[in-house]
Amino acid sequence: MFCVAPPESEAKMNITKGGLVLFSANSNSSCMELSKKIAERLGVEMGKVQVYQEPDRETRVQIQESVRGKDVFIIQTVSKDVNTTIMELLIMVYACKTSCAKSIIGVIPYFPYSKQCKMRKRGSIVSKLLASMMCKAGLTHLITMDLHQKEIQGFFNIPVDNLRASPFLLQYIQEEIPDYRNAVIVAKSPASAKRAQSFAERLRLGIAVIHGEAQDAESDLVDGRHSPPMVRSAAAIHPSLEIPMLIPKEKPPITVVGDVGGRTAVIVDDIIDDVDSFLAAAETLKERGAYKIFVMATHGLLSSDAPRLIEESAIDEVVVTNTIPHEIQKLQCPKIKTVDISMILSEAIRRIHNGESMSYLFRNIGLDD
């Protein structure tokens, strides 16, 4: 188990040097709650800025105070209109750069387009493009949380602090799940087994892995560019060249590796968006005798009909952090609970501004976390 902040940090939280400016780049007021919590913890006022959409849907940013020679922190939480969110951030970063800010640090708890970080057929690695755009606009540092793939940090040529929400989720398990010692941590697919193992080892609990579920959008089956062509012909492949063909995968029947009978099952992942895979996992666990089922994730996108599907499912509770605003989804589904992570973000901002080490926020974090 590792802590988020040292015991004395709460007293130091409001002590910041002069020259710090905190902006929210969101034009949507529902996305500003996290920014307000961070500002309150730091004991500073939010910077004066106007972000709005023109009648022709162009984004306009007007900074209404001096940022010359100051450390500017731009907090941007992702709304449902993700492309507008990105433009708001890029335009504000560039506005601060042209206004001679000393440094421009982006605080982006959920990094958009992080799922598109691998080549898919003749597609593109969009998260690499987005990283290049942020750096070109003038970003000098990035604070984010639980990147979908840690390798995304390599797309930037600026420092990236990839914070973890797991301390808050682990604390929730210990304090809010009755008899959590009788729980088992579940990976809904082998791909999320490392995260489940990390939770299980820190809580001293058992682990179960669901194997054999239907392929999702990130499966290996969509990789590759079918080159050389699938049809063999003399014109396509040289007669002297025999290229062995890869045997196609065949998913085995759904199995649960581990004992979940009569126990509380806690499914862990980094993102919960399309809930179909979580619902299928919950049904499988119920069939295997699980007593209660909790789902825990850092980023709760909860798109389209996710709240209704969760409410009608075998899932007892879904726990996500406030990296993404989801107040409307909570009204639609009482099963959705929120964990506040503003503490670690505000502490990261304080340490960067004061020139202090960030290593404390990464204590006991291994390569697999």
Side-chain angles (χ1 to χ4, degrees):
M1 189 70 62
F2 51 92
C3 299
V4 175
E8 68 275 10
S9 67
E10 199 65 29
K12 292 183 179 179
M13 187 65 74
N14 293 340
I15 302 175
T16 56
K17 296 178 182 179
L20 178 146
V21 182
L22 205 62
F23 286 133
S24 173
N26 288 108
S27 58
N28 189 339
S29 59
S30 65
C31 296
M32 297 180 64
E33 291 303 317
L34 181 60
S35 303
K36 293 176 181 176
K37 289 182 179 181
I38 292 173
E40 184 179 349
R41 287 185 178 275
L42 289 169
V44 299
E45 297 290 333
M46 292 296 300
K48 297 179 177 64
V49 64
Q50 277 191 328
V51 183
Y52 58 95
Q53 308 298 318
E54 297 278 14
D56 60 357
R57 300 300 298 163
E58 287 187 359
T59 299
R60 186 172 294 274
V61 173
Q62 292 182 343
I63 297 174
Q64 298 176 322
E65 64 179 87
S66 174
V67 297
R68 183 178 294 272
K70 296 182 179 181
D71 293 331
V72 177
F73 291 84
I74 302 175
I75 304 169
Q76 183 70 318
T77 52
V78 177
S79 66
K80 294 300 179 185
D81 189 354
V82 61
N83 295 324
T84 298
T85 299
I86 292 170
M87 284 307 300
E88 290 170 348
L89 174 66
L90 294 175
I91 294 173
M92 180 170 285
V93 168
Y94 189 64
C96 292
K97 177 183 177 181
T98 55
S99 298
C100 301
K102 177 184 175 183
S103 60
I104 307 168
I105 299 93
V107 183
I108 311 172
Y110 170 67
F111 188 75
Y113 285 96
S114 59
K115 290 183 180 179
Q116 299 188 47
C117 60
K118 296 179 181 179
M119 180 65 73
R120 305 294 180 192
K121 291 189 178 180
R122 291 178 175 85
S124 61
I125 305 176
V126 183
S127 53
K128 165 62 177 173
L129 171 64
L130 186 54
S132 300
M133 291 167 63
M134 289 181 180
C135 295
K136 188 67 176 177
L139 207 65
T140 60
H141 197 137
L142 175 66
I143 301 172
T144 186
M145 180 166 282
D146 281 337
L147 288 169
H148 187 54
Q149 297 288 340
K150 293 189 290 294
E151 291 77 11
I152 293 175
Q153 296 173 84
F155 295 159
F156 292 85
N157 55 14
I158 58 174
V160 177
D161 287 312
N162 181 28
L163 303 175
R164 305 299 196 274
S166 51
F168 300 92
L169 298 177
L170 290 167
Q171 185 180 36
Y172 186 94
I173 293 174
Q174 291 175 312
E175 296 179 356
E176 301 297 332
I177 296 182
D179 192 22
Y180 83 93
R181 290 291 182 188
N182 190 41
V184 59
I185 306 298
V186 179
K188 67 180 178 67
S189 68
S192 54
K194 283 187 177 180
R195 178 180 293 269
Q197 180 182 357
S198 175
F199 273 66
E201 289 177 351
R202 287 188 161 88
L203 293 169
R204 286 30 172 197
L205 299 177
I207 183 173
V209 179
I210 300 175
H211 180 52
E213 78 283 2
Q215 285 283 311
D216 57 26
E218 295 192 33
S219 73
D220 293 333
L221 295 179
V222 299
D223 280 344
R225 304 188 180 198
H226 299 309
S227 180
M230 298 297 289
V231 180
R232 283 173 171 251
S233 67
I237 302 177
H238 193 277
S240 64
L241 184 62
E242 286 292 332
I243 300 176
M245 303 300 290
L246 193 64
I247 300 172
K249 291 182 179 180
E250 182 177 340
K251 298 295 287 185
I254 293 178
T255 57
V256 178
V257 182
D259 180 24
V260 297
R263 306 171 73 179
T264 299
V266 182
I267 305 173
V268 296
D269 213 335
D270 62 329
I271 299 173
I272 176 169
D273 184 9
D274 180 9
V275 297
D276 289 345
S277 60
F278 291 92
L279 301 183
E283 289 296 332
T284 301
L285 293 170
K286 275 294 184 184
E287 291 173 3
R288 300 302 193 278
Y291 172 59
K292 282 189 174 181
I293 299 172
F294 290 77
V295 174
M296 311 202 78
T298 302
H299 309 295
L301 275 67
L302 302 169
S303 301
S304 62
D305 288 337
R308 178 182 61 81
L309 294 172
I310 292 170
E311 186 65 24
E312 298 172 355
S313 72
I315 297 172
D316 293 282
E317 195 168 284
V318 173
V319 182
V320 292
T321 71
N322 56 345
T323 55
I324 297 173
H326 48 262
E327 294 305 315
I328 295 176
Q329 289 90 332
K330 288 176 68 175
L331 294 175
Q332 297 171 340
C333 177
K335 291 182 179 181
I336 300 172
K337 308 297 181 184
T338 307
V339 175
D340 181 26
I341 45 82
S342 62
M343 178 187 292
I344 192 171
L345 293 174
S346 58
E347 178 65 9
I349 290 172
R350 188 190 69 82
R351 285 173 177 268
I352 290 173
H353 175 61
N354 291 342
E356 300 176 16
S357 172
M358 292 284 287
S359 61
Y360 192 90
L361 302 182
F362 294 95
R363 287 178 60 189
N364 300 324
I365 293 178
L367 293 175
D368 293 333
D369 290 323

